[in-house]
Amino acid sequence: QVQLVESGGGLVQPGGSLRLSCVDSGRIFSFKAAGWYRRAPGKQRELVASITSGGLSNYADSVKGRFIMARDNAKNTVYLQLNSLKPEDTAVYYCNTVPPLRGAWGQGTLVTVSS
């Protein structure tokens, strides 16, 4: 059964940090690239970070230098460290494979950046 569970979101002030986690209980990330996506209010979901099965990461220009994605294959978990957060980073964040597996979307975790 495919199940992705995201956590770690919250309310943070501009310039703050958060660490998101995604547990892959269905092991769909095994030997596949994983990604963090986000959907901001009124916008389409976008891929912001990805990591290959071997650990090579890539980032959208909007988050490059601020976000860091990592994976722990032994724990079937991927992480996203969010630093120097901006109000425009406010969104629901999701994890999934890259490209995404249609039926695998979880509930996401809400990140709100506001003073």
Side-chain angles (χ1 to χ4, degrees), residues 28-72:
I28 66 168
F29 291 155
S30 296
F31 306 110
K32 291 185 178 67
W36 280 97
Y37 301 77
R38 70 183 180 187
R39 176 176 282 160
K43 295 187 178 181
Q44 292 198 342
R45 187 154 39 199
E46 61 172 343
L47 176 67
V48 295
S50 62
I51 191 166
T52 66
S53 58
L56 296 176
S57 56
N58 195 30
Y59 302 93
D61 287 344
S62 58
V63 306
K64 198 171 292 184
R66 300 187 299 120
F67 291 7
I68 302 171
M69 185 172 181
R71 66 189 296 163
D72 185 334

Side-chain angles (χ1 to χ4, degrees), residues 39-110:
R39 176 176 282 160
K43 295 187 178 181
Q44 292 198 342
R45 187 154 39 199
E46 61 172 343
L47 176 67
V48 295
S50 62
I51 191 166
T52 66
S53 58
L56 296 176
S57 56
N58 195 30
Y59 302 93
D61 287 344
S62 58
V63 306
K64 198 171 292 184
R66 300 187 299 120
F67 291 7
I68 302 171
M69 185 172 181
R71 66 189 296 163
D72 185 334
N73 293 330
K75 295 183 178 179
N76 300 318
T77 302
V78 296
Y79 305 93
L80 188 66
Q81 178 69 38
L82 289 67
N83 300 318
S84 302
L85 282 161
K86 305 175 181 179
E88 52 263 42
D89 295 319
T90 295
V92 180
Y93 285 72
Y94 305 86
C95 59
N96 206 324
T97 54
V98 180
L101 188 61
R102 188 178 239 180
W105 294 108
Q107 295 299 307
T109 186
L110 176 62

